[in-house]
Amino acid sequence: GESVGLHLPTLSVQEGDNSIINCAYSNSASDYFIWYKQESGKGPQFIIDIRSNMDKRQGQRVTVLLNKTVKHLSLQIAATQPGDSAVYFCAEIRHSGFQKLVFGTGTRLLVSP
Amino acid sequence: EPEVTQTPSHQVTQMGQEVILRCVPISNHLYFYWYRQILGQKVEFLVSFYNNEISEKSEIFDDQFSVERPDGSNFTLKIRSTKLEDSAMYFCASSGDSDGELFFGEGSRLTVL
């Protein structure tokens, strides 16, 4: 059948390269942002989060940068591995006391050995 | 590691039939959510649930949808009369507090024929 839906932007990298995935968010009132990884057939998996009072946060091999001026988030993955291949979504929370996440479109990361 | 579990993993149903998707959130979590993802599209918020009542719902969550926590462990999503456009992956999530990390299940794929 015909596939209907958004065409995901794709980032193709070689194993060992650094990857940068970008996301624009929509609501300047959002105060909490999360990057999720979604492997085929699985649910979103938390990678890293950042609050709006920060502009950078580092985890293990991942760094998230937040630019509130232009409402932009990026996820940097160091030394990308084949196991990093997945769709990556940013999500913003328009805080209402409960975590109503608003997900972005997603970027497919393909890592070649 | 505690996880959110969902059943069934895949359900095929005829248009107009009722469907119940089941979720077992992480045991000490208090906040529960349903999200859905139509093939190739963004993950979308459906509903959040706390203290045995809906705390927030999206415009997608119309009168055909309902949620229930029938006992201390299950959290269900019911669609009373399925439509073709209900075909999607439905993700359950839970969190321990209102701004804690959301843990997603692996999803239940619903196919409406």
Side-chain angles (χ1 to χ4, degrees):
Chain A
E2 183 181 5
S3 173
V4 177
L6 298 170
H7 175 68
L8 288 179
T10 299
L11 174 65
S12 297
V13 300
Q14 294 287 320
E15 182 178 2
D17 287 353
N18 296 332
S19 302
I20 300 175
I21 299 170
N22 297 303
C23 175
Y25 65 92
S26 57
N27 190 338
S28 55
S30 295
D31 56 5
Y32 181 46
F33 306 88
I34 308 173
W35 278 100
Y36 284 93
K37 173 185 180 182
Q38 187 178 25
E39 295 174 284
S40 180
K42 295 192 174 183
Q45 179 186 1
F46 175 95
I47 301 174
I48 192 168
D49 60 357
I50 189 167
R51 298 201 177 270
S52 59
N53 60 351
M54 305 172 70
D55 53 21
K56 181 179 180 178
R57 188 153 189 240
Q58 287 185 293
Q60 190 176 24
R61 279 202 309 120
V62 294
T63 301
V64 55
L65 299 177
L66 174 62
N67 185 331
K68 294 182 287 294
T69 303
V70 294
K71 293 189 285 187
H72 182 269
L73 272 170
S74 67
L75 176 70
Q76 300 177 1
I77 305 174
T80 317
Q81 302 167 0
D84 295 327
S85 294
V87 177
Y88 289 81
F89 294 93
C90 68
E92 59 184 297
I93 292 180
R94 302 170 188 182
H95 191 67
S96 61
F98 301 96
Q99 289 207 33
K100 178 183 175 181
L101 295 173
V102 177
F103 282 83
T105 307
T107 297
R108 186 181 306 281
L109 176 66
L110 295 175
V111 183
S112 305
Chain B
E1 185 176 326
E3 59 181 13
V4 176
T5 56
Q6 291 185 240
T7 54
S9 56
H10 189 193
Q11 181 155 357
V12 181
T13 190
Q14 294 291 325
M15 190 169 57
Q17 295 295 303
E18 176 183 283
V19 160
I20 297 176
L21 304 179
R22 291 182 168 80
C23 170
V24 179
I26 293 173
S27 63
N28 61 345
H29 282 185
L30 301 175
Y31 297 82
F32 312 110
Y33 310 83
W34 284 100
Y35 284 78
R36 80 169 186 190
Q37 185 178 31
I38 294 171
L39 183 64
Q41 298 191 17
K42 301 179 187 182
V43 178
E44 302 173 287
F45 171 81
L46 290 179
V47 66
S48 57
F49 190 88
Y50 170 71
N51 199 26
N52 279 322
E53 61 183 20
I54 290 173
S55 47
E56 190 166 0
K57 60 184 180 180
S58 71
E59 59 274 13
I60 301 168
F61 195 89
D62 61 22
D63 292 344
Q64 293 301 310
F65 290 86
S66 62
V67 289
E68 192 179 31
R69 190 158 159 81
D71 53 43
S73 59
N74 289 283
F75 178 53
T76 62
L77 174 70
K78 182 193 289 187
I79 309 174
R80 287 190 187 83
S81 177
T82 49
K83 304 185 287 288
L84 294 176
E85 54 265 37
D86 294 328
S87 294
M89 194 77 153
Y90 288 80
F91 294 105
C92 174
S94 69
S95 65
D97 51 53
S98 62
D99 61 354
E101 179 183 339
L102 257 66
F103 291 82
F104 284 85
E106 302 244 314
S108 292
R109 180 171 299 284
L110 175 64
T111 302
V112 182
L113 303 177

